[in-house]
């Protein structure tokens, strides 16, 4: 179980670092928005993994809030970009 937790945490950190790199170097605003969405999903995955490992439900509200913020942000930017064309 410990090996699975370490591998999962490493993959989440790698995904977060790749998303941060894309946020900093993204060639367009759509790439940056997608990277922010990936970063929020990674944070949500880390929160879910923490809840599963420690067997508690303290972060459920935060997980739902992060998911809603990511969804609303992505939809808003997609709608803004669609209206500009």
């Amino acid at each position: 179980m410990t090996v699975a937790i370490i591998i999962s945490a490493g993959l989440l950190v790698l995904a977060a670092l790749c998303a941060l790199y894309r946020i900093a170097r993204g060639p367009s605003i759509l790439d940056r928005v997608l990277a922010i969405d990936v970063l929020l999903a990674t944070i949500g995955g880390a929160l879910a993994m923490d809840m599963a490992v420690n067997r508690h439900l303290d972060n459920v509200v935060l997980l739902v809030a992060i998911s809603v913020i990511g969804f609303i942000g992505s939809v808003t930017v997609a709608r803004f970009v669609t209206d500009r064309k």
Side-chain angles (χ1 to χ4, degrees):
M1 183 70 174
T2 305
V3 174
I5 293 170
I6 291 172
I7 291 172
S8 299
L11 290 174
L12 286 172
V13 168
L14 181 66
L17 290 175
C18 289
L20 287 173
Y21 176 76
R22 181 54 62 187
I23 290 170
R25 303 277 302 189
S28 69
I29 190 168
L30 290 177
D31 291 329
R32 290 186 170 115
V33 169
L34 185 61
I36 289 170
D37 199 29
V38 169
L39 184 62
L40 289 175
T42 304
I43 291 170
L47 287 173
M49 191 174 87
D50 176 57
M51 289 189 295
V53 169
N54 295 324
R55 298 177 186 228
H56 64 82
L57 297 174
D58 296 342
N59 298 331
V60 171
V61 175
L62 184 60
L63 182 63
V64 170
I66 287 174
S67 300
V68 169
I69 289 171
F71 174 73
I72 291 173
S74 297
V75 169
T76 303
V77 171
R79 183 149 177 101
F80 174 72
V81 170
T82 303
D83 288 342
R84 285 179 60 186
K85 289 184 178 179

